[in-house]
Amino acid sequence: LDVFEDAVRQGAVAGAFHPLQAFSSVETGVESLPGITFGIEGDSDMRAYLNELALSIGGNPIFLKSEDKALYHLTGVLMGNLLTGYVAVAAQIWEHLGVSRADGLRALVPMMRQVSVNLETSGVPGAMAGPFVRGDIGTVRKHLDALRSAAPEMLPTYCHMALTALPFALEKGNLSQEHAAEISELLMAAKNA
């Protein structure tokens, strides 16, 4: 709220009301408001007002401290900007299959929807699935080989994301410590090669 310091000195009441949502247009943005989280900051009167505003449009209000806003916003960037970029890269890989990026995206979006459903219904780590959860070292090796060959620019991203997700795969309880360590070694070696 420091950008409003001059206005506050002149008697204004400052507050922040930040929607945690990816808006690609005004039209779709308005439609996506119900159910989203709003980060709220301000004095007690402003917080009460913004809380009611969020509730009146079907939102989920949370109160932020000024020092927490960067992390809060970062989570939105991870889920909005960077997830979109990640999906764009995944769709681009489909061109190595002889399929257009648009068709790759069309193939991946239903999976993204189901991942969202799985996260809503099963949470973390329950929604975790795939070769890491299964300890499928052979499939991980095949992924690394395929990326080295077809999309080496994606290899570091794959390794970083897999290493970051590995503790959640372990938390689910299906992956043994031994297989997790072997997968971690494979990923670290590929990332540092």
Side-chain angles (χ1 to χ4, degrees), residues 69-99:
K69 286 180 74 177
L71 283 176
Y72 159 83
H73 192 262
L74 168 86
T75 66
V77 169
L78 285 167
M79 289 306 301
N81 308 93
L82 297 182
L83 179 59
T84 300
Y86 190 71
V87 172
V89 169
Q92 187 77 31
I93 289 173
W94 281 66
E95 290 186 352
H96 294 281
L97 309 172
V99 178

Side-chain angles (χ1 to χ4, degrees), residues 154-174:
M154 185 59 181
L155 186 60
T157 301
Y158 176 86
C159 292
H160 284 296
M161 293 295 293
L163 286 164
T164 302
L166 203 52
F168 302 108
L170 260 171
E171 187 181 335
K172 186 163 183 180
N174 301 357

Side-chain angles (χ1 to χ4, degrees), residues 35-116:
I36 70 170
T37 293
F38 289 88
I40 295 172
E41 186 184 6
D43 67 16
S44 61
D45 289 339
M46 181 57 75
R47 287 166 55 129
Y49 171 74
L50 294 175
N51 182 64
E52 285 303 313
L53 180 60
L55 293 172
S56 73
I57 57 176
N60 171 42
I62 63 161
F63 300 109
L64 299 170
K65 294 179 285 196
S66 193
E67 62 268 20
D68 293 335
K69 286 180 74 177
L71 283 176
Y72 159 83
H73 192 262
L74 168 86
T75 66
V77 169
L78 285 167
M79 289 306 301
N81 308 93
L82 297 182
L83 179 59
T84 300
Y86 190 71
V87 172
V89 169
Q92 187 77 31
I93 289 173
W94 281 66
E95 290 186 352
H96 294 281
L97 309 172
V99 178
S100 73
R101 180 175 67 193
D103 286 341
L105 185 61
R106 200 170 4 268
L108 295 170
V109 166
M111 186 175 192
M112 287 178 52
R113 284 191 194 104
Q114 187 60 46
V115 167
S116 293

Side-chain angles (χ1 to χ4, degrees), residues 6 10 15 38 43 67 119 123 162 176 192:
D6 288 340
Q10 296 176 33
F38 289 88
D43 67 16
E67 62 268 20
L119 285 165
S176 70
N192 295 326

